[in-house]
Amino acid sequence: MTAGQAAGRLRFASLGSGSKGNATLVSDGETCLLVDCGFGLRDAERRLADLGLHPRQLDGLLVTHEHGDHIRGVGPLARRHGIPVWLTPGTWASGRLGELPDRRWITPQRRFAVKGLTIDPVTVPHDAREPVQFRVRGGERSLGILTDLGHPTAHVAEAFAGCDALVLECNHDPQMLAEGPYPPRLKRRVGGDWGHLANGQAAALLPRLGLDRLQRIVCAHLSEHNNRPELALETLVPLLDGDDSRLDVSCQEAGLAWQAIA
C-alpha cells in the first residue's frame, strides 16, 4: 500500500510528462500500476521514491506504445525488479523493449485485471504499431489516461465517457507549432491526425466525455517547444465556468503529486 493511502480508494500520480519522458502511477491502496516509463532506470527509481514507492511495490507495468518517451525505462525497470509488463503484440514487435522477464499480452478493447484494478485498453489513432490508452477502474471509480492521440474519434469518446478523473493530452498550441523550431515534416506529423492533440482539440473532446463527473482533469504531454501550461489551462477553464480548481498540469520535471479520487 502506498504511504498514507486507504485501501480501495483510487488515486494517481505522474513521474513526469512531456517529450522527454512519461509515466503515470495508479493505485487503489492494494494494487499499484505504472503506465509507461519513459525515464532512464536511475531517474525512474528516483522519481518513484519521491512519490513514496520502491519499484518492487509495483504490481505491473502497462505500455501504451513503443515510442522512446514512453518505453525508455520499461525494460531496465522490469529486468532489475522483476516487474511483469503488459503490452500489445504490435508494441512488442517493434523490437524496442529488449528482453522482458515476464511479458503479458494486451488485446485492444478486451478488458483485463491486475489484482484489484480493472483495465480497458482502448485503440487510439497514433503513429505507432498497435497503440492503446487505458481506462483504469478501481471500485466504483475510474481514471482515464488519454495521451498520444492524433485526433478524438467517436470510439475514443465513447470509451472514456463518464470517467471520474482524466489525464488528457494538451500537446501543442497550433500557432506555437507553426512558428516554432520543428522542421516542416515534424510539424505535419505532430499536428496531423496520427500525431498529438492540440489544446483546442482537448477542449473539444472534454464535453463529449461528461464534465459533471470529472473530479480531476490533468493536462499532460505538453510540448516544451510548442506549448505553455498557461495556454493549456486557459483553453480548458472556460469549459468549467472559469473554475480552475479541478484542473492541473503534469510537467516534465516535477510530474504531479498523488491525486485522490473521492
Side-chain angles (χ1 to χ4, degrees):
M1 187 180 297
T2 54
Q5 182 181 7
R9 188 175 188 184
L10 195 64
R11 68 178 191 162
F12 65 99
S14 171
L15 277 65
S17 185
S19 306
K20 295 179 180 177
N22 296 272
T24 305
L25 284 164
V26 189
S27 174
D28 66 353
E30 298 292 343
T31 308
C32 189
L33 300 175
L34 183 62
V35 178
D36 290 335
C37 185
F39 302 99
L41 178 60
R42 290 183 180 179
D43 194 12
E45 290 174 336
R46 176 187 63 80
R47 289 169 184 261
L48 284 168
D50 288 345
L51 290 165
L53 281 175
H54 188 278
R56 292 193 182 275
Q57 292 176 271
L58 297 173
D59 295 288
L61 261 161
L62 310 183
V63 180
T64 60
H65 64 295
E66 71 274 12
H67 292 164
D69 58 325
H70 293 264
I71 65 161
R72 181 182 175 195
V74 170
L77 202 65
R79 289 188 288 273
R80 172 172 287 191
H81 299 288
I83 305 168
V85 178
W86 278 261
L87 73 171
T88 65
T91 297
W92 172 249
S94 70
R96 297 179 180 177
L97 284 124
E99 179 185 355
L100 297 176
D102 188 352
R103 184 185 70 220
R104 307 186 186 189
W105 294 131
I106 288 173
T107 301
Q109 280 66 251
R110 181 176 296 175
R111 182 175 294 178
F112 65 99
V114 181
K115 296 175 65 175
L117 295 176
T118 302
I119 301 101
D120 291 300
V122 181
T123 296
V124 295
H126 190 55
D127 57 353
R129 285 175 177 257
E130 195 177 12
V132 290
Q133 295 291 311
F134 300 112
R135 180 169 181 164
V136 183
R137 302 172 193 265
E140 298 179 354
R141 298 289 180 254
S142 69
L143 166 71
I145 301 172
L146 186 53
T147 68
D148 297 79
L149 177 69
H151 64 284
T153 64
H155 165 72
V156 167
E158 180 180 359
F160 287 90
C163 286
D164 298 282
L166 185 67
V167 177
L168 179 63
E169 178 168 56
C170 295
N171 177 258
H172 61 277
D173 171 80
Q175 183 175 348
M176 286 189 68
L177 177 64
E179 298 174 355
Y182 285 5
R185 182 177 180 181
L186 184 54
K187 289 181 179 180
R188 290 193 295 270
R189 182 243 164 192
V190 170
D193 281 348
W194 299 88
H196 293 277
L197 278 191
N199 295 336
Q201 289 176 299
L205 174 61
L206 272 175
R208 300 165 66 185
L209 305 183
L211 285 167
D212 290 344
R213 186 172 177 124
L214 278 168
Q215 299 178 29
R216 302 295 299 158
I217 304 165
V218 176
C219 303
H221 215 305
L222 274 69
S223 168
E224 65 176 323
H225 297 295
N226 305 308
N227 207 359
R228 295 195 303 271
E230 59 268 27
L231 290 178
L233 294 173
E234 286 170 5
T235 306
L236 301 189
V237 164
L239 299 172
L240 306 173
D241 298 323
D243 176 15
D244 63 359
S245 63
R246 288 189 277 168
L247 282 173
D248 217 324
V249 176
S250 175
C251 64
Q252 185 69 85
E253 293 305 320
L256 183 72
W258 285 104
Q259 307 288 308
I261 304 174

XYZ file of all heavy atoms in Angstrom, residues 139-174:
260
model
N -12.894 -0.190 -7.788
C -14.169 0.007 -7.108
C -15.164 0.653 -8.056
O -15.348 0.227 -9.183
N -15.774 1.738 -7.598
C -16.777 2.430 -8.411
C -16.204 3.642 -9.152
O -16.956 4.411 -9.741
C -17.943 2.872 -7.509
C -18.680 1.714 -6.852
C -19.812 2.185 -5.959
O -19.949 3.417 -5.775
O -20.560 1.330 -5.446
N -14.886 3.806 -9.126
C -14.274 4.975 -9.737
C -13.365 4.562 -10.897
O -12.855 3.440 -10.937
C -13.458 5.757 -8.695
C -14.305 6.295 -7.548
C -15.206 7.433 -8.019
N -16.035 7.965 -6.949
C -17.328 7.750 -6.835
N -17.949 6.979 -7.728
N -18.030 8.286 -5.858
N -13.154 5.493 -11.827
C -12.277 5.191 -12.955
C -11.436 6.398 -13.336
O -11.873 7.551 -13.228
C -13.081 4.704 -14.167
O -13.862 5.738 -14.718
N -10.230 6.106 -13.785
C -9.281 7.097 -14.272
C -9.011 6.839 -15.743
O -8.697 5.710 -16.133
C -7.966 7.000 -13.488
C -6.763 7.740 -14.088
C -6.942 9.243 -13.963
C -5.457 7.280 -13.430
N -9.125 7.874 -16.562
C -8.756 7.764 -17.961
C -7.375 8.347 -18.193
O -7.076 9.451 -17.724
N -6.524 7.608 -18.881
C -5.201 8.093 -19.279
C -5.221 8.168 -20.794
O -5.263 7.142 -21.488
C -4.085 7.159 -18.772
C -4.142 7.062 -17.247
C -2.715 7.659 -19.242
C -3.208 6.015 -16.667
N -5.217 9.388 -21.323
C -5.501 9.599 -22.742
C -4.534 10.620 -23.324
O -4.789 11.823 -23.327
C -6.955 10.052 -22.908
C -7.509 10.204 -24.324
C -7.309 8.944 -25.148
C -8.987 10.566 -24.271
N -3.393 10.124 -23.781
C -2.406 10.974 -24.440
C -2.004 10.322 -25.757
O -2.519 9.270 -26.121
C -1.161 11.185 -23.557
O -0.456 9.943 -23.429
C -1.534 11.708 -22.178
N -1.097 10.950 -26.491
C -0.598 10.395 -27.750
C -1.750 10.014 -28.667
O -1.893 8.883 -29.110
C 0.318 9.201 -27.477
C 1.543 9.631 -26.698
O 1.430 9.800 -25.469
O 2.599 9.827 -27.317
N -2.575 11.008 -28.916
C -3.825 10.826 -29.647
C -3.855 11.830 -30.799
O -3.877 13.031 -30.569
C -4.990 11.082 -28.674
C -6.418 11.020 -29.196
C -6.795 9.598 -29.552
C -7.371 11.571 -28.133
N -3.857 11.329 -32.022
C -3.833 12.226 -33.168
C -5.083 13.069 -33.314
O -5.024 14.252 -33.624
N -6.231 12.437 -33.079
C -7.494 13.172 -33.123
C -8.532 12.403 -32.312
O -8.439 11.180 -32.185
C -7.975 13.394 -34.569
C -8.292 12.140 -35.315
N -7.317 11.308 -35.827
C -9.486 11.565 -35.643
C -7.890 10.284 -36.446
N -9.196 10.421 -36.340
N -9.523 13.090 -31.751
C -10.508 12.446 -30.874
C -11.623 11.766 -31.674
O -12.549 12.425 -32.133
C -11.042 13.604 -30.029
C -10.844 14.815 -30.873
C -9.667 14.557 -31.763
N -11.527 10.475 -31.826
C -12.531 9.722 -32.580
C -13.762 9.451 -31.729
O -13.735 9.553 -30.494
C -11.956 8.379 -33.044
O -11.656 7.580 -31.880
C -10.680 8.566 -33.863
N -14.853 9.055 -32.379
C -16.076 8.683 -31.666
C -15.820 7.481 -30.760
O -16.357 7.383 -29.648
C -17.188 8.381 -32.661
N -15.001 6.554 -31.237
C -14.648 5.367 -30.450
C -13.953 5.765 -29.147
O -14.273 5.258 -28.068
C -13.741 4.459 -31.289
C -13.026 3.397 -30.504
N -13.677 2.309 -29.985
C -11.717 3.272 -30.152
C -12.796 1.543 -29.348
N -11.612 2.113 -29.430
N -13.015 6.698 -29.227
C -12.298 7.156 -28.049
C -13.245 7.879 -27.100
O -13.224 7.650 -25.883
C -11.123 8.067 -28.457
C -10.568 8.817 -27.252
C -10.028 7.244 -29.123
N -14.090 8.754 -27.629
C -15.029 9.495 -26.789
C -15.953 8.547 -26.039
O -16.228 8.744 -24.840
C -15.841 10.466 -27.646
N -16.426 7.518 -26.706
C -17.308 6.553 -26.049
C -16.569 5.777 -24.966
O -17.095 5.549 -23.872
C -17.871 5.583 -27.091
C -18.810 4.542 -26.507
C -19.365 3.593 -27.557
O -19.034 3.748 -28.751
O -20.129 2.675 -27.184
N -15.327 5.379 -25.248
C -14.575 4.554 -24.308
C -14.215 5.295 -23.023
O -14.089 4.683 -21.960
C -13.311 4.031 -24.981
N -14.035 6.615 -23.104
C -13.613 7.375 -21.935
C -14.736 8.218 -21.317
O -14.489 8.972 -20.376
C -12.429 8.266 -22.305
C -11.146 7.490 -22.485
C -10.803 6.975 -23.725
C -10.295 7.257 -21.421
C -9.637 6.241 -23.900
C -9.123 6.530 -21.584
C -8.790 6.018 -22.831
N -15.939 8.066 -21.806
C -17.063 8.811 -21.242
C -17.336 8.369 -19.801
O -17.279 7.184 -19.482
C -18.304 8.604 -22.099
N -17.613 9.338 -18.941
C -18.003 9.020 -17.570
C -16.861 8.743 -16.618
O -17.088 8.228 -15.521
N -15.623 9.087 -16.991
C -14.507 8.923 -16.064
C -14.647 9.880 -14.885
O -15.247 10.949 -14.990
C -13.178 9.194 -16.771
S -12.642 7.888 -17.901
N -14.049 9.489 -13.763
C -14.046 10.354 -12.583
C -12.830 11.274 -12.555
O -12.850 12.311 -11.893
C -14.066 9.494 -11.314
C -15.319 8.647 -11.239
O -16.370 9.190 -10.875
O -15.246 7.448 -11.570
N -11.778 10.886 -13.261
C -10.585 11.723 -13.399
C -9.959 11.398 -14.746
O -10.148 10.307 -15.288
C -9.599 11.474 -12.268
N -9.203 12.360 -15.282
C -8.678 12.204 -16.629
C -7.309 12.856 -16.746
O -7.123 14.017 -16.365
C -9.638 12.853 -17.633
C -9.328 12.697 -19.122
C -9.465 11.240 -19.557
C -10.261 13.574 -19.950
N -6.352 12.081 -17.258
C -5.060 12.616 -17.670
C -5.146 12.792 -19.177
O -5.209 11.819 -19.925
C -3.908 11.661 -17.295
C -2.570 12.209 -17.800
C -3.862 11.451 -15.783
N -5.179 14.037 -19.640
C -5.525 14.337 -21.031
C -4.404 15.092 -21.736
O -3.893 16.094 -21.222
C -6.809 15.174 -21.067
C -7.311 15.611 -22.445
C -7.690 14.409 -23.307
C -8.509 16.537 -22.296
N -4.068 14.625 -22.915
C -3.039 15.281 -23.705
C -3.453 16.687 -24.135
O -4.534 16.891 -24.686
C -2.729 14.453 -24.949
C -1.701 15.105 -25.858
C -1.189 14.175 -26.932
O -2.013 13.632 -27.697
O 0.028 13.985 -27.001
N -2.586 17.641 -23.837
C -2.677 19.002 -24.369
C -1.285 19.306 -24.925
O -0.503 20.040 -24.319
C -3.054 19.998 -23.280
S -4.695 19.765 -22.579
N -0.967 18.719 -26.056
C 0.413 18.696 -26.517
C 0.911 20.030 -27.041
O 2.018 20.458 -26.735
C 0.583 17.618 -27.588
C 1.984 17.590 -28.164
O 2.226 18.086 -29.261
N 2.910 17.014 -27.421
N 0.084 20.697 -27.864
C 0.626 21.885 -28.522
C -0.427 22.953 -28.772
O -1.627 22.684 -28.810
C 1.290 21.510 -29.856
C 0.352 20.878 -30.845
N 0.040 19.534 -30.828
C -0.343 21.402 -31.891
C -0.808 19.257 -31.811
N -1.057 20.376 -32.464
N 0.064 24.155 -28.899
C -0.713 25.282 -29.383
C -0.426 25.407 -30.874
O 0.746 25.502 -31.270
C -0.284 26.550 -28.644
C -0.902 27.793 -29.246
O -2.069 28.068 -28.953
O -0.195 28.482 -30.026
N -1.436 25.359 -31.735
C -1.180 25.344 -33.178
C -0.318 26.504 -33.678
O 0.537 26.313 -34.550
C -2.587 25.394 -33.782
C -3.451 24.750 -32.755
C -2.876 25.182 -31.441
